[in-house]
C-alpha cells in the first residue's frame, strides 16, 4: 500500500523551490498586499480617509504656526 501512495506524491527532488532572492521578493510583495488590505479594511473610500488625514495634519500645522507667532488663538468663553 505504501508503494501506491508514494508514487502519487512528488519526491523532494521533483518539487521546485524558488531561490532565496525570489522567495524574499515574494515575501515582501505579500507583506505589502497584507498592509494595504489592512489599511483598507472597513473603509469604504480610502481616498477620502487620506484626504481627511491630510486636512487634519494641515490644521495642526496651522495651529502650531499661530502659536509660534503668538497670533490669535480661538477660545470659547461662556459669558
Amino acid at each position: 500500500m505504501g508503494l501506491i501512495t508514494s508514487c502519487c506524491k512528488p519526491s523532494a527532488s521533483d518539487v521546485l523551490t524558488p531561490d532565496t532572492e525570489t522567495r524574499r521578493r515574494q515575501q515582501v510583495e505579500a507583506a505589502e498586499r497584507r498592509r494595504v488590505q489592512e489599511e483598507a479594511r472597513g473603509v469604504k473610500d480610502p481616498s477620502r480617509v487620506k484626504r481627511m488625514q491630510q486636512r487634519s495634519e494641515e490644521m495642526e500645522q496651522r495651529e502650531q504656526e499661530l502659536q509660534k507667532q503668538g497670533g490669535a488663538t480661538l477660545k470659547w468663553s461662556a459669558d
Side-chain angles (χ1 to χ4, degrees):
M1 210 190 280
L3 294 174
I4 295 172
T5 58
S6 65
C7 72
C8 297
K9 295 181 184 177
S11 66
S13 62
D14 293 338
V15 177
L16 296 176
T17 57
D19 61 341
T20 17
E21 188 59 34
T22 304
R23 287 184 64 219
R24 209 172 275 139
R25 182 179 45 80
Q26 289 173 342
Q27 288 174 341
V28 168
E29 289 171 356
E32 181 64 21
R33 279 193 305 270
R34 285 191 304 271
R35 186 188 64 79
V36 169
Q37 288 174 349
E38 186 65 30
E39 283 180 355
R41 181 170 292 171
V43 177
K44 302 230 187 269
D45 188 6
S47 61
R48 180 175 179 252
V49 172
K50 287 182 182 180
R51 286 192 309 267
M52 289 174 59
Q53 288 174 344
Q54 186 177 12
R55 247 186 249 144
S56 174
E57 290 171 2
E58 289 173 359
M59 290 295 287
E60 288 176 10
Q61 289 175 353
R62 289 179 188 163
E63 288 175 2
Q64 290 174 359
E65 289 175 6
L66 282 174
Q67 287 178 356
K68 286 180 184 177
Q69 295 173 357
T73 56
L74 299 176
K75 291 186 179 179
W76 177 261
S77 64
D79 288 326

